[in-house]
Amino acid sequence: MSRLLRLSESLLKDAIERGLIEINLYDMRQWAHDKHNTMDDRPFGGGPGMVLKVDRVVPCVEEVQAFSEIPGRVVMTTPQGRLLTQRVVEELAREERLIILCGRYEGFDQRVVDILRPDEISIGDYVLNGGEVAAEVIIDSVMRLIPGVLGDENSAVVDSFSSGNRLLEEDQYTRPREYRGLSVPEILLSGDHGLVEKWREHNRKVKTFARRPELLDGETSED
Ligand code: ADE
């Protein structure tokens, strides 16, 4: 839980204080009413690991949903989910309320998915110990699209990967003009805005071609 509290830092803290977003944390253990607050159990059929219990998770989510008139979209962090891309982030940012369900080490009983029909989301093809990190990534990427959260409204629009923008960002420089023999490209010092824009566009394309050519084809894993 303590890691999630880091969320209250900086931009997010500011957005919460300004009433732009509200975040509530719930510990699913509160819905485990036995003596040991058991949340998981051994898998039927055997095998390693533990499984999060359906009769703990479902009542927890349903109760949290009922705290508001808007039930909200239930998101489950799982390496088996659809990949989180900027397009998915934009989709989530349009929701009034999100309920993010995080697993820890173990998976959920399949009936949690069958009953709640969550939007299963993976933040990448690797396995984390806990879904909290994935939840932080989702919160961080979604909240910056909420109007007013970023100081400059435009900064999210021109980001790499925002809808309609399939190019990586151009190289950036600031003073000093020269450092350890490395100079800032002359054009950026020319004061000619037309030339500067041309250079930036070229730089974005070259960089994208070298690093992420599939973005230029419009072929991404989200398509
Ligand atoms: N939980 C464990 N690994 C994950 C991942 N890659 N994405 C989302 N949730 C996860």
Side-chain angles (χ1 to χ4, degrees):
M1 201 68 92
S2 63
R3 190 177 35 222
L4 270 174
L5 294 179
R6 258 200 294 128
L7 289 172
S8 61
E9 280 169 17
S10 63
L11 260 185
L12 188 52
K13 185 173 170 211
D14 194 55
I16 292 168
E17 278 171 8
R18 288 190 289 143
L20 296 170
I21 41 184
E22 187 184 316
I23 295 193
N24 298 295
L25 295 179
Y26 301 98
D27 184 351
M28 283 193 284
R29 270 185 196 285
Q30 286 177 323
W31 279 264
H33 299 300
D34 61 313
K35 206 168 82 188
H36 300 290
N37 297 121
T38 316
M39 276 306 297
D40 53 12
D41 207 341
R42 283 167 301 160
F44 278 126
M50 298 289 272
V51 179
L52 287 160
K53 290 166 72 60
V54 62
D55 55 349
R56 306 292 196 265
V57 178
V58 169
C60 163
V61 173
E62 286 175 345
E63 207 171 305
V64 169
Q65 279 182 311
F67 289 163
S68 162
E69 276 167 19
I70 308 151
R73 188 198 292 211
V74 180
V75 169
M76 177 189 277
T77 60
T78 162
Q80 281 115 59
R82 62 182 178 137
L83 214 52
L84 186 72
T85 60
Q86 192 64 22
R87 191 177 296 177
V88 174
V89 171
E90 286 165 7
E91 198 187 305
L92 296 178
R94 286 194 286 272
E95 294 286 336
E96 194 69 21
R97 185 180 185 219
L98 295 175
I99 296 178
I100 308 178
L101 196 52
C102 313
R104 194 124 236 281
Y105 309 111
E106 58 275 271
F108 291 90
D109 185 305
Q110 179 55 30
R111 290 165 295 180
V112 171
V113 176
D114 298 340
I115 295 168
L116 297 175
R117 297 257 157 241
D119 187 354
E120 296 176 80
I121 289 187
S122 164
I123 63 161
D125 289 336
Y126 39 80
V127 180
L128 303 164
N129 274 326
E132 292 99 326
V133 174
E136 280 192 68
V137 170
I138 294 170
I139 294 169
D140 192 290
S141 53
V142 167
M143 67 118 186
R144 57 195 297 288
L145 296 188
I146 293 168
V149 168
L150 293 186
D152 180 358
E153 284 280 328
N154 292 326
S155 43
V157 177
V158 296
D159 279 345
S160 293
F161 307 119
S162 61
S163 278
N165 186 4
R166 294 298 183 96
L167 295 179
L168 302 180
E169 272 168 44
E170 71 273 12
D171 298 338
Q172 306 235 51
Y173 298 88
T174 186
R175 285 183 293 186
R177 285 177 178 220
E178 198 185 303
Y179 186 69
R180 296 194 182 179
L182 296 176
S183 303
V184 173
E186 274 304 316
I187 287 176
L188 298 181
L189 311 172
S190 68
D192 183 330
H193 295 303
L195 269 183
V196 167
E197 200 30 63
K198 273 207 181 100
W199 180 89
R200 287 184 169 151
E201 205 180 312
H202 180 70
N203 186 264
R204 285 196 285 270
K205 283 183 184 155
V206 169
K207 209 166 157 180
T208 309
F209 183 72
R211 298 181 186 191
R212 300 286 308 277
E214 79 281 8
L215 292 178
L216 293 169
D217 303 336
E219 263 179 44
T220 60
S221 47
E222 66 197 282
D223 289 328

